[in-house]
Amino acid sequence: MAEDNPLLKALPPAVDYLSYLTILEYNLTAKQLPVLHDILQDTTLTTNIGWDLVHLLLPLLPESQVCLQDVARLGNPREVVLKVTELLEALTAMEEAEEQEEEDEDQPKDVEGSTGQTTGTEAGQLSKETTTSSVPSNTETVLPHDDQTKSRQLPSRTSKFCALLDMLAILHPRIKTQHPSRFLSTSLQPVLSTYATLLKDDHATEAVLGFIKTLAGSKRPRLPPRKSSTQVPIQSERTALSAPDPEASDNPVAPEEHALQKKLLQSFLTFVAE
């Protein structure tokens, strides 16, 4: 019943926005995504919490793609852009950490304490192994909505990158400011860094080219989001519209801005082409 659904029962003003985010964090599953999609059509709510939903929705890709686009269309574009940029930087940091870990594993291990004495490191490892072996094999860590997360295969870095790039393509045209190139330059740097680690991935390249084409002013209508296995209804007028920038500037865009944005996109495209 809808009344028993925690996502609906706790909707503001029943609780404040921060408390509602906590409830979402502990109750959001793939099965709840259609419910969340309907909830996010409330522009006021999405403006206040949208930026903090992105990191919760990414692990639920591809089913969460529609909800991510809801956030991009109806959330505060300036706050969501910063969040997306932060998550792109995290993807790059994750790749660098994995590469460093592989390099460490390839290096020869330090041979010390081979005289029969157990070093502090070895003793710690032995203690850890002993502790691990004493834990029953059927013990499982209980996580929020673990019945969903344990059975799911986490999305790839490429899937996350493409989803975040799709969001940026929606977000940047929504930001109404005198100097939109400042937001664009802030986003392009982490996009470039993450894409550099995915150069051999055709899906990443296709996403980047689509992103550039959208921001360059293509007049073709945006394609509807891909259908997800959750059968979220995506063909409606309300899902086709974006909310206005709540912090929009009354001043017109500076005359030099168009040239600056064009130069930024051309430089980015040059890197992609090379």
Side-chain angles (χ1 to χ4, degrees):
M1 295 178 62
E3 294 79 5
D4 298 330
N5 191 315
L7 271 60
L8 296 173
K9 188 176 181 180
L11 272 171
V15 299
D16 58 72
Y17 292 123
L18 184 59
S19 298
Y20 190 65
L21 281 170
T22 303
I23 292 170
L24 280 172
E25 182 176 358
Y26 281 89
N27 293 278
L28 186 60
T29 64
K31 291 181 179 180
Q32 291 276 29
L33 289 173
V35 177
L36 180 63
H37 169 66
D38 288 336
I39 290 172
L40 291 177
Q41 305 315 307
D42 182 341
T43 304
T44 302
L45 176 68
T46 308
T47 298
N48 282 279
I49 70 171
W51 66 276
D52 213 18
L53 288 178
V54 185
H55 73 285
L56 299 178
L57 292 168
L58 275 185
L60 297 176
L61 284 168
E63 292 92 340
S64 62
Q65 178 73 28
V66 174
C67 289
L68 284 170
Q69 294 198 356
D70 288 335
V71 172
R73 294 184 302 99
L74 303 175
N76 185 316
R78 300 164 190 249
E79 293 178 348
V80 180
V81 158
L82 293 177
K83 187 65 176 183
V84 170
T85 300
E86 175 186 319
L87 291 171
L88 284 169
E89 292 172 345
L91 286 180
T92 305
M94 184 187 304
E95 174 66 16
E96 293 174 349
E98 291 175 356
E99 291 178 354
Q100 183 62 46
E101 185 176 346
E102 291 176 359
E103 291 177 2
D104 293 341
E105 290 177 354
D106 292 338
Q107 292 178 357
K109 296 182 179 179
D110 187 16
V111 182
E112 289 185 5
S114 59
T115 59
Q117 297 180 350
T118 303
T119 64
T121 303
E122 291 172 339
Q125 291 175 343
L126 181 60
S127 175
K128 182 179 180 180
E129 291 172 357
T130 303
T131 303
T132 303
S133 63
S134 65
V135 178
S137 58
N138 62 350
T139 301
E140 294 179 347
T141 303
V142 178
L143 299 173
H145 49 264
D146 65 299
D147 59 324
Q148 293 289 329
T149 56
K150 285 188 297 186
S151 62
R152 287 183 57 84
Q153 181 179 358
L154 293 177
S156 65
R157 291 178 64 252
T158 300
S159 297
K160 293 180 180 180
F161 173 75
C162 293
L164 292 173
L165 210 55
D166 284 346
M167 292 185 71
L168 288 179
I170 298 172
L171 288 162
H172 278 288
R174 290 185 57 209
I175 299 176
K176 304 304 179 183
T177 178
Q178 276 189 293
H179 304 284
S181 63
R182 297 176 181 175
F183 287 91
L184 181 59
S185 61
T186 301
S187 296
L188 286 182
Q189 184 56 50
V191 170
L192 182 63
S193 299
T194 307
Y195 178 67
T197 66
L198 301 169
L199 284 175
K200 297 181 180 180
D201 194 298
D202 292 339
H203 294 293
T205 300
E206 182 181 349
V208 167
L209 293 177
F211 169 70
I212 295 174
K213 186 174 182 180
T214 299
L215 295 191
S218 172
K219 299 302 181 183
R220 289 184 178 182
R222 284 186 60 82
L223 293 174
R226 294 185 179 91
K227 292 183 179 179
S228 71
S229 59
T230 54
Q231 300 299 318
V232 175
I234 58 177
Q235 301 291 341
S236 64
E237 293 183 3
R238 66 177 185 177
T239 58
L241 301 175
S242 295
D245 182 359
E247 303 176 40
S249 172
D250 294 330
N251 299 317
V253 177
E256 69 276 8
E257 277 296 307
H258 295 294
L260 282 173
Q261 293 182 80
K262 184 177 180 180
K263 185 176 181 180
L264 285 170
L265 292 173
Q266 285 178 338
S267 299
F268 187 73
L269 181 59
T270 299
F271 175 85
V272 175
E274 293 176 350

